[in-house]
């Protein structure tokens, strides 16, 4: 046990510095200083390039690295031929069309300097849903993940450099925490365990993605099971809010210019109407665990019914059975689709 600088310096700028540092080691000028770090740097560069050029086998001799060039996190010129740009993320995600902008900048630079097509990398050491990562790939970026880092580091276990070892240990620590949902009782789950659980089920059932949802109650990691089902003009959907499974509806008639008091009245009446008929439908199906929530909100997105943790996920002292949970979720999805179809048919 020893202090780990990357448990203290958790900001993306600190990770930018490590990535830049490791890329710099690939340059031949550092070979005599530390052969193992030099070879690891070369392997890192080669792995990144192979994301764009799968048959890449050239020797890497020259690597020139910059930070925040054109506001891009890491900019690496390799062998005076290739450009690697890296958008580095820990727990945040892309925003404001930054990836499209950086790719355009890199492509223009490569054209002006007669270089190969740029290698665009989205480097993520935290956890992110596959729905987001798929969109990032569609923007022309390759994903380099925490697991990719771990695989790289495992090839160089002989390296004892303190910076290298601290970063390697931090990646392994996050990976271990993410996978703890497999062995920890459900009531012991925290931030990483919920993410690991969501990562496990997202590959087994249709979904719209998951991520942190901020609210006045302190926020939660939410998993959006479905979107796009409408009862007339109202979206109705299922969202996992950690231990709660929630049937929700968006009731705000935004196209109607009404005073806020009138809007609240419409939201309340619509919420209560859908709650009543959904719970009645659940009782007819024998799903008595679908019930009214203890508290009712009055906003744009409101919970109309819930299923408690024990009925869909497991008891506090249980170790989660992922396959059983997926079976439960598919049952509630089928129920919601049936409910929506019957409602719209009657209307």
């Amino acid at each position: 046990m020893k202090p780990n600088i990357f448990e203290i310096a958790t900001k993306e700028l600190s990770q930018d510095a490590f990535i830049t540092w490791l890329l710099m080691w690939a340059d031949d000028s550092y070979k005599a200083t530390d052969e193992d770090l030099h070879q690891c740097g070369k392997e890192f560069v080669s792995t990144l390039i192979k994301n764009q050029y799968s048959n890449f086998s050239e020797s890497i001799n020259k690597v020139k690295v910059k930070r925040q060039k054109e506001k891009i996190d890491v900019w690496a010129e390799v062998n005076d031929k290739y450009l690697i740009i890296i958008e580095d993320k820990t727990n945040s995600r892309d925003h404001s069309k930054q990836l499209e902008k950086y790719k355009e900048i890199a492509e223009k630079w490569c054209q002006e300097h007669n270089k190969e097509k740029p290698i665009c990398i989205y480097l993520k050491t935290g956890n992110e849903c596959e729905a987001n990562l798929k969109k990032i790939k569609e923007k022309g970026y390759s994903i380099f993940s925490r697991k990719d880092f771990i695989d790289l580091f495992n090839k160089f276990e002989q390296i004892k450099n303190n910076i290298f070892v601290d970063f390697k240990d931090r990646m392994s620590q996050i990976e271990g925490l993410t996978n703890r949902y497999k062995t920890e009782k459900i009531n012991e789950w925290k931030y990483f365990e919920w993410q690991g659980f969501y990562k496990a089920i997202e590959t087994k059932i249709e979904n719209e993605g998951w991520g942190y949802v901020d609210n006045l109650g302190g926020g939660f990691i939410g998993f959006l099971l479905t979107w796009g089902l409408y009862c007339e003009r109202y979206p109705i959907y299922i969202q996992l809010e950690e231990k709660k499974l929630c049937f929700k509806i968006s009731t705000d008639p935004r196209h109607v210019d009404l005073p806020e008091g009138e809007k609240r009245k419409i939201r309340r009446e619509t919420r209560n109407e859908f709650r009543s008929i959904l719970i009645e439908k659940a009782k007819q199906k024998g799903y008595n665990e679908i019930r009214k929530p203890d508290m009712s909100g009055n906003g744009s997105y409101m919970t109309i019914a819930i299923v408690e943790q024990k009925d869909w996920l497991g008891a506090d002292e249980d170790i989660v059975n992922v396959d059983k949970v997926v079976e439960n979720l598919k049952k509630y999805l089928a129920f919601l689709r049936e409910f929506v179809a019957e409602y719209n048919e009657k209307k």
Side-chain angles (χ1 to χ4, degrees):
M1 296 294 293
K2 66 180 180 64
N4 185 314
I5 188 63
F6 294 103
E7 290 182 36
I8 302 166
T10 58
K11 300 291 186 181
E12 285 169 358
L13 285 174
S14 302
Q15 188 163 281
D16 290 353
F18 176 83
I19 294 164
T20 302
W21 176 84
L22 186 58
L23 289 169
M24 290 174 67
W25 276 106
D27 191 274
D28 276 351
S29 61
Y30 298 107
K31 181 177 181 179
T33 306
D34 190 316
E35 174 66 16
D36 289 332
L37 269 175
H38 176 63
Q39 291 303 323
C40 184
K42 283 180 176 290
E43 182 75 12
F44 184 32
V45 172
S46 292
T47 301
L48 296 178
I49 294 176
K50 286 177 182 176
N51 278 298
Q52 183 76 53
Y53 302 100
S54 58
N55 295 323
F56 176 80
S57 60
E58 300 173 28
S59 175
I60 294 167
N61 309 114
K62 184 178 180 181
V63 181
K64 183 180 179 182
V65 194
K66 301 173 183 177
R67 289 176 59 193
Q68 294 299 318
K69 178 179 172 66
E70 301 284 355
K71 297 185 178 180
I72 295 169
D73 289 336
V74 181
W75 173 291
E77 300 167 27
V78 180
N79 288 355
D80 293 322
K81 181 179 179 181
Y82 300 99
L83 172 65
I84 302 171
I85 62 166
I86 300 175
E87 178 61 19
D88 175 34
K89 298 292 185 185
T90 52
N91 296 312
S92 64
R93 51 177 291 185
D94 72 299
H95 56 85
S96 307
K97 294 189 177 298
Q98 59 179 175
L99 296 183
E100 294 91 334
K101 178 183 176 182
Y102 298 155
K103 185 171 182 285
E104 182 180 337
I105 290 170
E107 288 174 340
K108 182 179 179 182
W109 185 90
C110 287
Q111 289 173 356
E112 292 174 349
H113 293 80
N114 197 29
K115 309 297 183 185
E116 299 289 341
K117 182 180 177 181
I119 297 100
C120 303
I121 303 294
Y122 184 83
L123 191 150
K124 185 64 180 271
T125 56
N127 296 311
E128 189 162 349
C129 69
E130 286 299 320
N132 288 349
L133 296 179
K134 180 181 178 182
K135 293 175 184 176
I136 289 164
K137 291 175 184 176
E138 290 170 352
K139 296 176 183 179
Y141 280 73
S142 297
I143 310 298
F144 190 90
S145 68
R146 177 180 68 248
K147 183 64 166 56
D148 292 322
F149 257 138
I150 291 172
D151 290 343
L152 171 68
F153 296 154
N154 285 341
K155 297 177 182 179
F156 296 91
E157 293 185 346
Q158 72 275 20
I159 295 177
K160 304 303 179 185
N161 177 280
N162 284 335
I163 296 173
F164 182 91
V165 171
D166 272 10
F167 193 82
K168 175 185 176 183
D169 288 349
R170 178 60 175 165
M171 294 299 99
S172 296
Q173 180 192 45
I174 296 172
E175 186 71 10
L177 289 171
T178 300
N179 287 311
R180 270 173 36 122
Y181 78 92
K182 299 175 183 178
T183 56
E184 286 291 313
K185 297 174 183 178
I186 293 171
N187 66 341
E188 297 291 333
W189 289 6
K190 298 181 178 64
Y191 180 77
F192 285 111
E193 287 87 348
W194 280 108
Q195 290 187 333
F197 168 67
Y198 288 160
K199 282 170 65 67
I201 65 173
E202 73 179 346
T203 62
K204 299 175 182 291
I205 190 168
E206 63 180 282
N207 67 91
E208 299 293 329
W210 54 266
Y212 179 72
V213 179
D214 193 14
N215 65 16
L216 294 177
F220 57 87
I221 311 294
F223 186 105
L224 186 57
L225 210 57
T226 186
W227 184 262
L229 296 175
Y230 284 78
C231 287
E232 294 186 297
R233 60 192 172 93
Y234 296 116
I236 188 165
Y237 58 101
I238 297 175
Q239 180 168 278
L240 309 181
E241 299 181 358
E242 296 185 1
K243 294 183 177 182
K244 287 192 301 184
L245 183 153
C246 301
F247 291 85
K248 304 180 78 79
I249 193 166
S250 176
T251 62
D252 199 0
R254 297 175 184 175
H255 61 285
V256 179
D257 187 16
L258 295 174
E260 183 56 33
E262 187 65 22
K263 285 185 177 183
R264 288 180 62 85
K265 180 175 181 290
I266 292 172
R267 289 197 295 260
R268 181 174 63 252
E269 292 174 349
T270 307
R271 177 200 67 204
N272 292 343
E273 175 193 352
F274 279 100
R275 172 177 293 159
S276 175
I277 56 178
L278 185 137
I279 291 177
E280 179 59 32
K281 175 66 177 176
K283 289 180 179 178
Q284 293 172 11
K285 296 283 291 186
Y287 300 159
N288 295 316
E289 71 274 20
I290 298 177
R291 67 169 181 85
K292 177 182 175 181
D294 295 330
M295 297 181 63
S296 295
N298 192 311
S300 297
Y301 303 94
M302 299 193 297
T303 299
I304 57 175
I306 66 167
V307 178
E308 293 184 355
Q309 171 198 319
K310 63 182 178 61
D311 293 311
W312 74 273
L313 179 63
D316 278 350
E317 300 299 311
D318 286 349
I319 302 299
V320 71
N321 181 331
V322 170
D323 290 337
K324 179 61 177 175
V325 170
V326 170
E327 181 182 323
N328 290 337
L329 295 179
K330 288 181 177 178
K331 177 183 74 173
Y332 295 128
L333 270 175
F335 165 73
L336 183 63
R337 286 198 178 93
E338 183 180 335
F339 169 79
V340 170
E342 289 186 3
Y343 180 91
N344 289 330
E345 185 178 350
K346 290 178 181 178
K347 290 294 181 178

